[in-house]
Short mmCIF file of all heavy atoms in Angstrom, two decimals:
data_model
loop_
_atom_site.label_atom_id
_atom_site.label_comp_id
_atom_site.label_asym_id
_atom_site.label_seq_id
_atom_site.Cartn_x
_atom_site.Cartn_y
_atom_site.Cartn_z
N ALA A 539 69.20 124.28 136.98
CA ALA A 539 69.86 123.17 136.20
C ALA A 539 70.19 123.67 134.84
O ALA A 539 69.96 124.76 134.45
CB ALA A 539 68.89 121.95 136.12
N ASP A 540 71.08 122.90 134.18
CA ASP A 540 71.61 123.32 132.81
C ASP A 540 70.39 123.48 131.89
O ASP A 540 69.69 122.50 131.63
CB ASP A 540 72.51 122.18 132.31
CG ASP A 540 73.19 122.61 131.04
OD1 ASP A 540 73.25 123.83 130.71
OD2 ASP A 540 73.60 121.79 130.22
N GLY A 541 70.26 124.71 131.50
CA GLY A 541 69.17 125.07 130.48
C GLY A 541 67.81 125.26 131.18
O GLY A 541 66.87 125.49 130.43
N TRP A 542 67.71 125.36 132.50
CA TRP A 542 66.47 125.55 133.16
C TRP A 542 66.53 126.60 134.22
O TRP A 542 67.52 126.62 134.96
CB TRP A 542 65.94 124.30 133.75
CG TRP A 542 65.49 123.24 132.70
CD1 TRP A 542 66.18 122.24 132.17
CD2 TRP A 542 64.26 123.20 132.04
NE1 TRP A 542 65.48 121.55 131.27
CE2 TRP A 542 64.24 122.09 131.14
CE3 TRP A 542 63.05 124.01 132.12
CZ2 TRP A 542 63.18 121.75 130.34
CZ3 TRP A 542 62.03 123.62 131.28
CH2 TRP A 542 62.08 122.50 130.35
N ASP A 543 65.51 127.39 134.33
CA ASP A 543 65.22 128.26 135.46
C ASP A 543 64.04 127.85 136.24
O ASP A 543 63.11 127.29 135.68
CB ASP A 543 65.18 129.77 134.97
CG ASP A 543 66.33 130.19 134.20
OD1 ASP A 543 67.46 129.78 134.55
OD2 ASP A 543 66.13 131.09 133.21
N GLU A 544 64.11 128.19 137.54
CA GLU A 544 62.79 127.92 138.29
C GLU A 544 62.24 129.16 138.79
O GLU A 544 62.92 130.16 139.02
CB GLU A 544 63.17 127.00 139.58
CG GLU A 544 61.95 126.45 140.33
CD GLU A 544 62.33 125.37 141.27
OE1 GLU A 544 62.44 124.27 140.87
OE2 GLU A 544 62.52 125.76 142.47
N ALA A 545 60.93 129.24 138.79
CA ALA A 545 60.21 130.48 139.04
C ALA A 545 58.87 130.20 139.78
O ALA A 545 58.45 129.01 139.80
CB ALA A 545 59.91 131.27 137.86
N VAL A 546 58.32 131.20 140.39
CA VAL A 546 57.00 131.12 141.08
C VAL A 546 55.98 131.99 140.32
O VAL A 546 56.20 133.17 140.10
CB VAL A 546 57.13 131.50 142.59
CG1 VAL A 546 55.76 131.48 143.17
CG2 VAL A 546 58.06 130.61 143.31
N LEU A 547 54.79 131.31 139.95
CA LEU A 547 53.81 132.01 139.34
C LEU A 547 52.59 131.94 140.28
O LEU A 547 52.40 131.01 141.01
CB LEU A 547 53.43 131.44 138.00
CG LEU A 547 54.57 131.40 136.94
CD1 LEU A 547 54.12 130.59 135.72
CD2 LEU A 547 55.01 132.76 136.51
N THR A 548 51.72 133.02 140.21
CA THR A 548 50.48 132.99 141.02
C THR A 548 49.25 132.83 140.15
O THR A 548 49.17 133.45 139.04
CB THR A 548 50.37 134.34 141.75
OG1 THR A 548 51.57 134.52 142.52
CG2 THR A 548 49.20 134.40 142.66
N PHE A 549 48.35 131.98 140.60
CA PHE A 549 47.18 131.74 139.78
C PHE A 549 45.98 131.38 140.73
O PHE A 549 46.16 131.24 141.97
CB PHE A 549 47.38 130.46 138.91
CG PHE A 549 47.34 129.15 139.61
CD1 PHE A 549 46.29 128.36 139.63
CD2 PHE A 549 48.48 128.85 140.32
CE1 PHE A 549 46.27 127.12 140.33
CE2 PHE A 549 48.48 127.61 140.97
CZ PHE A 549 47.34 126.78 141.00
N ARG A 550 44.77 131.42 140.23
CA ARG A 550 43.56 131.23 140.96
C ARG A 550 42.79 129.98 140.47
O ARG A 550 42.31 129.15 141.22
CB ARG A 550 42.57 132.42 140.97
CG ARG A 550 43.10 133.62 141.73
CD ARG A 550 42.05 134.76 141.53
NE ARG A 550 42.44 135.97 142.22
CZ ARG A 550 42.10 136.26 143.50
NH1 ARG A 550 41.38 135.34 144.14
NH2 ARG A 550 42.49 137.36 144.07
N ASP A 551 42.71 129.86 139.09
CA ASP A 551 41.90 128.83 138.54
C ASP A 551 42.72 127.81 137.68
O ASP A 551 43.32 128.18 136.75
CB ASP A 551 40.85 129.60 137.61
CG ASP A 551 39.72 128.59 137.11
OD1 ASP A 551 40.02 127.39 137.10
OD2 ASP A 551 38.67 129.11 136.75
N VAL A 552 42.73 126.62 138.15
CA VAL A 552 43.45 125.53 137.44
C VAL A 552 43.00 125.39 136.01
O VAL A 552 43.83 125.24 135.09
CB VAL A 552 43.36 124.20 138.25
CG1 VAL A 552 43.94 123.10 137.44
CG2 VAL A 552 44.04 124.26 139.54
N ASP A 553 41.68 125.39 135.85
CA ASP A 553 41.05 125.13 134.43
C ASP A 553 41.50 126.25 133.52
O ASP A 553 41.56 125.95 132.28
CB ASP A 553 39.56 125.07 134.56
CG ASP A 553 39.16 123.77 135.37
OD1 ASP A 553 39.89 122.85 135.44
OD2 ASP A 553 38.05 123.75 135.98
N ARG A 554 41.76 127.41 133.92
CA ARG A 554 42.19 128.48 133.03
C ARG A 554 43.70 128.48 132.94
O ARG A 554 44.21 128.85 131.86
CB ARG A 554 41.66 129.79 133.51
CG ARG A 554 40.14 130.05 133.39
CD ARG A 554 39.76 131.43 133.77
NE ARG A 554 38.31 131.61 133.60
CZ ARG A 554 37.75 132.06 132.50
NH1 ARG A 554 38.43 132.17 131.40
NH2 ARG A 554 36.42 132.20 132.45
N PHE A 555 44.38 128.25 133.98
CA PHE A 555 45.84 128.35 134.02
C PHE A 555 46.53 127.29 133.27
O PHE A 555 47.58 127.40 132.61
CB PHE A 555 46.35 128.50 135.46
CG PHE A 555 47.74 129.01 135.58
CD1 PHE A 555 48.13 130.10 134.84
CD2 PHE A 555 48.67 128.36 136.40
CE1 PHE A 555 49.47 130.68 134.99
CE2 PHE A 555 49.94 128.84 136.56
CZ PHE A 555 50.34 129.99 135.84
N ALA A 556 46.01 126.02 133.46
CA ALA A 556 46.57 124.80 132.82
C ALA A 556 46.67 124.99 131.36
O ALA A 556 47.78 124.66 130.72
CB ALA A 556 45.94 123.57 133.24
N PRO A 557 45.60 125.34 130.52
CA PRO A 557 45.76 125.50 129.09
C PRO A 557 46.75 126.60 128.68
O PRO A 557 47.39 126.42 127.61
CB PRO A 557 44.30 125.87 128.73
CG PRO A 557 43.42 125.38 129.84
CD PRO A 557 44.23 125.53 131.07
N TYR A 558 46.84 127.60 129.49
CA TYR A 558 47.86 128.70 129.17
C TYR A 558 49.21 128.10 129.27
O TYR A 558 50.03 128.32 128.34
CB TYR A 558 47.70 129.80 130.16
CG TYR A 558 48.79 130.78 130.10
CD1 TYR A 558 48.89 131.73 129.04
CD2 TYR A 558 49.74 130.85 131.05
CE1 TYR A 558 49.89 132.58 128.90
CE2 TYR A 558 50.81 131.84 131.03
CZ TYR A 558 50.83 132.65 129.92
OH TYR A 558 51.86 133.64 129.88
N LEU A 559 49.57 127.42 130.31
CA LEU A 559 50.92 126.81 130.49
C LEU A 559 51.13 125.75 129.40
O LEU A 559 52.33 125.68 128.93
CB LEU A 559 51.12 126.26 131.80
CG LEU A 559 51.10 127.22 133.07
CD1 LEU A 559 51.34 126.49 134.30
CD2 LEU A 559 52.29 128.30 132.85
N ALA A 560 50.18 125.00 129.05
CA ALA A 560 50.32 123.90 128.04
C ALA A 560 50.66 124.49 126.72
O ALA A 560 51.30 123.79 125.84
CB ALA A 560 49.09 123.09 128.00
N ARG A 561 50.40 125.77 126.45
CA ARG A 561 50.77 126.34 125.13
C ARG A 561 52.22 126.38 124.89
O ARG A 561 52.70 126.43 123.76
CB ARG A 561 50.17 127.72 125.02
CG ARG A 561 48.60 127.85 125.05
CD ARG A 561 48.21 129.32 125.08
NE ARG A 561 46.81 129.49 125.32
CZ ARG A 561 46.19 130.60 125.59
NH1 ARG A 561 46.87 131.73 125.62
NH2 ARG A 561 44.87 130.69 125.88
N PHE A 562 52.98 126.46 126.02
CA PHE A 562 54.41 126.43 125.91
C PHE A 562 55.07 125.14 125.76
O PHE A 562 56.30 124.98 125.74
CB PHE A 562 55.01 127.26 127.07
CG PHE A 562 54.52 128.69 127.18
CD1 PHE A 562 53.38 129.00 127.91
CD2 PHE A 562 55.08 129.66 126.46
CE1 PHE A 562 52.88 130.31 127.95
CE2 PHE A 562 54.61 131.00 126.51
CZ PHE A 562 53.52 131.33 127.27
N ALA A 563 54.30 124.06 125.74
CA ALA A 563 54.74 122.69 125.55
C ALA A 563 55.86 122.33 126.45
O ALA A 563 55.79 122.47 127.66
CB ALA A 563 55.15 122.55 124.09
N ASP A 564 57.02 121.93 125.86
CA ASP A 564 58.14 121.41 126.71
C ASP A 564 59.11 122.44 127.21
O ASP A 564 60.15 122.26 127.75
CB ASP A 564 58.90 120.35 125.94
CG ASP A 564 59.52 120.84 124.63
OD1 ASP A 564 59.20 121.96 124.24
OD2 ASP A 564 60.27 120.17 124.00
N ASP A 565 58.66 123.81 126.99
CA ASP A 565 59.40 124.93 127.53
C ASP A 565 59.03 125.24 128.96
O ASP A 565 59.69 126.03 129.64
CB ASP A 565 59.31 126.21 126.69
CG ASP A 565 60.04 126.01 125.38
OD1 ASP A 565 60.99 125.24 125.31
OD2 ASP A 565 59.59 126.67 124.37
N VAL A 566 57.97 124.60 129.45
CA VAL A 566 57.43 124.85 130.83
C VAL A 566 57.23 123.56 131.49
O VAL A 566 56.54 122.68 130.93
CB VAL A 566 56.20 125.70 130.82
CG1 VAL A 566 55.61 125.82 132.30
CG2 VAL A 566 56.54 127.15 130.25
N LEU A 567 57.76 123.30 132.70
CA LEU A 567 57.47 122.09 133.47
C LEU A 567 56.88 122.55 134.81
O LEU A 567 57.55 123.39 135.52
CB LEU A 567 58.75 121.30 133.64
CG LEU A 567 59.46 120.77 132.47
CD1 LEU A 567 60.76 120.17 132.82
CD2 LEU A 567 58.53 119.80 131.69
N VAL A 568 55.70 122.03 135.24
CA VAL A 568 55.13 122.34 136.52
C VAL A 568 55.67 121.42 137.56
O VAL A 568 55.63 120.15 137.43
CB VAL A 568 53.60 122.29 136.42
CG1 VAL A 568 53.00 122.57 137.77
CG2 VAL A 568 53.00 123.22 135.36
N VAL A 569 56.29 121.96 138.60
CA VAL A 569 56.77 121.26 139.76
C VAL A 569 55.68 121.05 140.78
O VAL A 569 55.51 119.97 141.43
CB VAL A 569 57.98 121.91 140.28
CG1 VAL A 569 58.56 121.09 141.51
CG2 VAL A 569 59.06 122.01 139.27
N ASP A 570 54.96 122.11 141.06
CA ASP A 570 53.99 122.14 142.11
C ASP A 570 53.00 123.25 141.90
O ASP A 570 53.30 124.27 141.30
CB ASP A 570 54.72 122.34 143.52
CG ASP A 570 53.79 122.09 144.76
OD1 ASP A 570 53.40 120.93 144.91
OD2 ASP A 570 53.52 123.08 145.39
N PRO A 571 51.72 123.09 142.26
CA PRO A 571 51.00 122.00 143.00
C PRO A 571 50.68 120.83 142.10
O PRO A 571 50.57 120.95 140.92
CB PRO A 571 49.82 122.67 143.60
CG PRO A 571 49.45 123.79 142.50
CD PRO A 571 50.74 124.29 142.06
N PRO A 572 50.37 119.71 142.74
CA PRO A 572 50.06 118.46 141.99
C PRO A 572 48.83 118.58 141.06
O PRO A 572 48.88 118.10 139.97
CB PRO A 572 49.82 117.38 143.08
CG PRO A 572 50.64 117.94 144.23
CD PRO A 572 50.44 119.37 144.20
N ASP A 573 47.76 119.34 141.47
CA ASP A 573 46.60 119.34 140.64
C ASP A 573 46.90 120.14 139.38
O ASP A 573 46.31 119.86 138.31
CB ASP A 573 45.44 119.92 141.43
CG ASP A 573 45.68 121.34 142.00
OD1 ASP A 573 46.86 121.70 142.16
OD2 ASP A 573 44.66 122.06 142.17
N LEU A 574 47.68 121.19 139.56
CA LEU A 574 48.08 122.03 138.33
C LEU A 574 48.94 121.18 137.35
O LEU A 574 48.80 121.19 136.14
CB LEU A 574 48.75 123.29 138.74
CG LEU A 574 49.23 124.24 137.57
CD1 LEU A 574 48.01 124.59 136.71
CD2 LEU A 574 50.00 125.46 138.07
N ARG A 575 49.92 120.41 137.93
CA ARG A 575 50.77 119.60 137.12
C ARG A 575 49.97 118.62 136.36
O ARG A 575 50.17 118.35 135.14
CB ARG A 575 51.77 118.95 138.06
CG ARG A 575 52.73 118.02 137.36
CD ARG A 575 53.64 117.30 138.27
NE ARG A 575 54.44 116.30 137.61
CZ ARG A 575 55.57 116.48 136.94
NH1 ARG A 575 56.03 117.71 136.78
NH2 ARG A 575 56.22 115.51 136.34
N GLU A 576 49.08 117.98 137.07
CA GLU A 576 48.24 117.02 136.40
C GLU A 576 47.29 117.51 135.31
O GLU A 576 47.18 116.98 134.23
CB GLU A 576 47.38 116.18 137.40
CG GLU A 576 46.46 115.10 136.79
CD GLU A 576 47.23 114.00 136.19
OE1 GLU A 576 48.42 113.74 136.54
OE2 GLU A 576 46.63 113.34 135.29
N ALA A 577 46.80 118.71 135.55
CA ALA A 577 45.95 119.40 134.59
C ALA A 577 46.69 119.71 133.25
O ALA A 577 46.22 119.57 132.18
CB ALA A 577 45.32 120.64 135.12
N VAL A 578 47.90 120.22 133.43
CA VAL A 578 48.79 120.53 132.35
C VAL A 578 49.13 119.30 131.54
O VAL A 578 49.10 119.19 130.28
CB VAL A 578 50.10 121.22 132.70
CG1 VAL A 578 50.99 121.43 131.51
CG2 VAL A 578 49.75 122.61 133.33
N ILE A 579 49.44 118.16 132.21
CA ILE A 579 49.81 116.87 131.55
C ILE A 579 48.53 116.39 130.71
O ILE A 579 48.70 115.95 129.55
CB ILE A 579 50.12 115.84 132.59
CG1 ILE A 579 51.47 116.21 133.24
CG2 ILE A 579 50.20 114.42 131.97
CD1 ILE A 579 51.92 115.28 134.39
N GLN A 580 47.33 116.51 131.35
CA GLN A 580 46.15 116.08 130.59
C GLN A 580 45.92 117.02 129.31
O GLN A 580 45.44 116.48 128.29
CB GLN A 580 44.93 116.15 131.49
CG GLN A 580 44.97 115.18 132.58
CD GLN A 580 45.13 113.76 132.17
OE1 GLN A 580 44.53 113.34 131.12
NE2 GLN A 580 45.96 112.95 132.81
N GLN A 581 46.18 118.26 129.47
CA GLN A 581 46.05 119.18 128.32
C GLN A 581 46.98 118.75 127.15
O GLN A 581 46.54 118.71 125.99
CB GLN A 581 46.40 120.59 128.72
CG GLN A 581 45.34 121.30 129.50
CD GLN A 581 44.13 121.73 128.71
OE1 GLN A 581 44.38 122.14 127.52
NE2 GLN A 581 42.99 121.75 129.18
N LEU A 582 48.28 118.46 127.49
CA LEU A 582 49.22 117.98 126.52
C LEU A 582 48.81 116.63 125.93
O LEU A 582 49.00 116.47 124.67
CB LEU A 582 50.60 117.96 127.13
CG LEU A 582 51.11 119.27 127.61
CD1 LEU A 582 52.56 119.09 128.29
CD2 LEU A 582 51.43 120.28 126.41
N LYS A 583 48.33 115.77 126.74
CA LYS A 583 47.86 114.37 126.22
C LYS A 583 46.73 114.63 125.26
O LYS A 583 46.65 113.97 124.18
CB LYS A 583 47.47 113.55 127.34
CG LYS A 583 48.58 112.97 128.10
CD LYS A 583 48.14 111.97 129.17
CE LYS A 583 49.34 111.37 129.94
NZ LYS A 583 48.88 110.36 131.04
#
Side-chain angles (χ1 to χ4, degrees):
D540 186 21
W542 290 95
D543 300 327
E544 192 167 275
V546 175
L547 302 173
T548 303
F549 73 102
R550 289 178 181 270
D551 189 338
V552 171
D553 291 336
R554 289 185 180 271
F555 196 47
Y558 170 73
L559 293 180
R561 296 175 191 170
F562 297 94
D564 57 354
D565 289 332
V566 173
L567 298 176
V568 178
V569 179
D570 192 66
D573 59 335
L574 177 61
R575 176 181 173 83
E576 179 62 24
V578 173
I579 291 174
Q580 293 304 319
Q581 284 283 327
L582 294 174
K583 285 183 177 180

